[in-house]
Amino acid sequence: MRTERAIDVWIALGVFVLTVAMLASGGVSGDDEARSLDLLGVALAALASLPLLARRRAPLAVFVASAIVSAAINALDYPPGPPIGPTVALYFVGLSGDRTKTSGRLTFTVVGLMLVVHIAATSYGRGDSPIIPALFGTLVWGGAWVVGDRVRLRRERVADLEERARQAERETDRERRLAAAEERTRIARDLHDSAGHAINVILVHAGAARLLAEKDPARSRAALATIESLARETLTEIDGLVRALREDEEQAQTPIGLAALDALVKRHQDVGLDVDVRVDGTHRQLGPAVDQAAYRILQESLTNALRHGDGGAKVALTYGTEALEIGVTNPADNGKGAAGHGIVGMRERASLVGGRVEAEQLNGFFRVRARLPYVGGEQ
């Protein structure tokens, strides 16, 4: 506020000094017959300049006040020259930015009226018809108004660009938060899948250990060892996922993928599921999302085969030109092949990377087929 007030004071003072200097020098034409500068001329110069102190609050009123005093200076036959006070005031009228239709008409009418008053006062003071001063005054005032308006428009464009930049930054931040929320949702799904898979396998191993405790102690101990190993592995994975949920990226565990397929197959073979794996096509590096989705689909499918199947499962991985195709087939009797929520979860995972999952039970076999486009998981 103090800075703005100081600027207004310096503008008014500058206009006053220039007006007094013009009156003292005889104007732009050096008219010797014009009235010499006196105390009244200094007072009128001050009155033509002081209204500029209020140019921020009422620019049009400031212009009117300065124009009337400037007209009085010409009517009293002081040396002719450009009306500095009204010209500067009119620049600030153009700069003010009030551009409603009603205010625009009012401003145009007031400026035209003040121009007529100024020309009439000049004609009265000089005793002739000042055509050239009239044209010059029109040019000067019109130029000041246009310059002020263009400066205003430029400021508005700059302000609009800055606002767009801020809006883009806000949108970027919003997208980043949404992406983080989606990632946390994905991690929570991983946590559910991992824990569910581990519990199912532990249940099967625990049942086997109980049944074999007396008949085959060695296999019973192996089952218990598998339970212990799986529990430790699951706790490690859950710990990593929880850290990721807490946004501790440095300690978060790398998402699991097909690189861990051998360990997954061995874990199911140890509990008695005969798993046959066949890989066709040229192996290629998968995007993280596709890689993890493929692993989770295989994990859920083998868990279903272990719980509801008849002792075996065939896994087929085909690296096609555009997508990874997964097939898991296991014998299943009495309608026990369907996985319920497991199939829903697999379909959700596939849809997240633009793929699909189909599951059906036919002729005593339960089949899961998945197609995961490579592009769905590229970064």
Side-chain angles (χ1 to χ4, degrees), residues 17-93:
V17 171
L18 290 176
T19 303
V20 171
M22 183 191 67
L23 296 179
S25 63
V28 294
S29 61
D31 191 352
D32 295 333
E33 297 181 0
R35 181 172 177 172
S36 300
L37 179 64
D38 52 16
L39 185 60
L40 178 59
V42 174
L44 291 174
L47 290 175
S49 307
L50 288 177
L52 290 169
L53 295 174
R55 54 102 179 177
R56 298 180 188 273
R57 294 190 295 273
L60 186 60
V62 168
F63 165 73
V64 171
S66 182
I68 291 175
V69 177
S70 181
I73 291 176
N74 286 351
L76 294 174
D77 197 25
Y78 283 101
I84 299 176
T87 301
V88 174
L90 194 54
Y91 166 81
F92 289 120
V93 170

Side-chain angles (χ1 to χ4, degrees), residues 33-371:
E33 297 181 0
R35 181 172 177 172
S36 300
L37 179 64
D38 52 16
L39 185 60
L40 178 59
V42 174
L44 291 174
L47 290 175
S49 307
L50 288 177
L52 290 169
L53 295 174
R55 54 102 179 177
R56 298 180 188 273
R57 294 190 295 273
L60 186 60
V62 168
F63 165 73
V64 171
S66 182
I68 291 175
V69 177
S70 181
I73 291 176
N74 286 351
L76 294 174
D77 197 25
Y78 283 101
I84 299 176
T87 301
V88 174
L90 194 54
Y91 166 81
F92 289 120
V93 170
L95 191 63
S96 65
D98 189 2
R99 285 295 174 272
T100 63
K101 184 175 293 186
T102 302
S103 64
R105 290 176 179 175
L106 176 62
T107 301
F108 183 80
T109 301
V110 170
V111 172
L113 180 61
M114 288 299 101
L115 180 61
V116 171
V117 170
H118 204 277
I119 293 174
T122 303
S123 177
Y124 174 79
R126 298 184 61 181
D128 57 9
S129 180
I131 297 177
I132 294 179
L135 294 176
F136 182 70
T138 302
L139 180 63
V140 171
W141 282 10
W145 194 0
V146 169
V147 169
D149 186 67
R150 290 298 174 266
V151 171
R152 176 187 64 83
L153 291 175
R154 182 179 179 279
R155 289 181 177 178
E156 289 179 353
R157 284 195 296 269
V158 171
D160 182 62
L161 290 175
E162 291 177 349
E163 177 58 29
R164 290 184 182 181
R166 288 191 292 268
Q167 180 67 24
E169 186 177 352
R170 288 193 293 268
E171 288 295 329
T172 300
D173 184 64
R174 176 175 172 272
E175 292 295 331
R176 185 167 55 250
R177 290 197 301 269
L178 287 176
E182 291 176 358
E183 179 66 11
R184 285 192 289 272
T185 300
R186 181 190 64 78
I187 293 173
R189 186 181 290 111
D190 284 346
L191 182 61
H192 171 271
D193 292 347
S194 177
H197 164 74
I199 291 173
N200 283 323
V201 175
I202 287 172
L203 285 173
V204 173
H205 278 78
R210 178 176 57 81
L211 294 174
L212 297 173
E214 296 180 359
K215 296 180 181 180
D216 193 342
R219 290 185 63 186
S220 177
R221 287 192 296 271
L224 291 174
T226 301
I227 291 175
E228 181 182 7
S229 175
L230 180 60
R232 286 200 182 107
E233 179 183 332
T234 303
L235 284 175
T236 300
E237 185 174 357
I238 289 176
D239 181 63
L241 293 174
V242 171
R243 288 180 182 177
L245 282 172
R246 293 173 178 173
E247 301 181 345
D248 189 355
E249 296 181 358
E250 294 182 355
Q251 300 180 13
Q253 179 175 328
T254 303
I256 200 166
L258 289 182
L261 178 59
D262 291 342
L264 177 67
V265 170
K266 185 177 184 306
R267 189 159 57 238
H268 286 79
Q269 288 175 336
D270 288 344
V271 79
L273 182 67
D274 183 15
V275 183
D276 177 40
V277 180
R278 188 183 78 253
V279 179
D280 297 323
T282 303
H283 181 272
R284 60 182 292 169
Q285 187 69 30
L286 302 177
V290 171
D291 193 24
Q292 189 172 10
Y295 178 86
R296 292 305 185 191
I297 290 172
L298 286 169
Q299 183 185 56
E300 183 65 33
S301 298
L302 291 178
T303 300
N304 291 337
L306 181 63
R307 295 183 63 188
H308 307 296
D310 196 19
K314 293 184 178 181
V315 176
L317 294 179
T318 303
Y319 290 90
T321 57
E322 298 180 353
L324 171 67
E325 296 184 1
I326 301 172
V328 180
T329 304
N330 62 272
D333 295 327
N334 301 323
K336 294 183 179 181
H341 293 296
I343 294 297
V344 174
M346 286 190 283
R347 285 173 175 161
E348 287 180 355
R349 283 194 169 276
S351 66
L352 288 175
V353 295
R356 66 177 184 271
V357 169
E358 298 175 354
E360 63 176 356
Q361 186 166 350
L362 184 65
N363 298 328
F365 289 90
F366 187 74
R367 294 183 177 88
V368 174
R369 291 191 294 270
R371 186 179 187 276

